[in-house]
Amino acid sequence: MSSFTRVDGSLGTYSQFTTPKNITNIALHLGQMTVADSALLYRLYIVWGRSRWIILLPLTLTIELVATGCGVIYSFTTWAARGLEFWMVVSFFGATLM
């Protein structure tokens, strides 16, 4: 709602990555994606007759999602001290589309 009430509009609101609200949103998004991917991994494991080979690729992508998500959150919390790693952010948000 703040994007409609601010003078600088939505661009000013959504370009502030380091606010606690935006960092919390990203952390909640990461948690939700991890829980959903874990449930999918369990279902794949059960449906495919407890085969570990069938969950190898989705498990690898879930680990990549958690690793890059933690990296993005760390990068956003230390924005002033370090630069934003663009490819880590692209990898994290790209992994959520899979």
Side-chain angles (χ1 to χ4, degrees):
M1 196 60 160
S2 63
S3 63
F4 299 110
T5 58
R6 293 178 53 132
V7 176
D8 55 355
S10 62
L11 183 60
T13 300
Y14 294 119
S15 64
Q16 299 174 357
F17 298 115
T18 59
T19 62
K21 178 183 174 185
N22 287 338
I23 292 171
T24 303
N25 284 339
I26 293 171
L28 289 174
H29 179 72
L30 174 62
Q32 179 264 334
M33 291 301 297
T34 303
V35 169
D37 286 353
S38 299
L40 179 67
L41 283 170
Y42 178 73
R43 289 181 66 187
L44 280 173
Y45 180 70
I46 296 300
V47 167
W48 284 89
R50 300 186 187 272
S51 173
R52 292 184 181 162
W53 291 105
I54 200 69
I55 65 168
L56 188 61
L57 179 63
L59 180 63
T60 304
L61 292 174
T62 302
I63 292 170
E64 182 265 338
L65 175 75
V66 171
T68 57
C70 291
V72 166
I73 292 170
Y74 178 74
S75 177
F76 283 164
T77 56
T78 59
W79 180 273
R82 300 177 43 209
L84 176 64
E85 291 82 4
F86 176 73
W87 293 111
M88 186 183 305
V89 174
V90 169
S91 176
F92 171 63
F93 288 109
T96 61
L97 298 175
M98 293 183 203

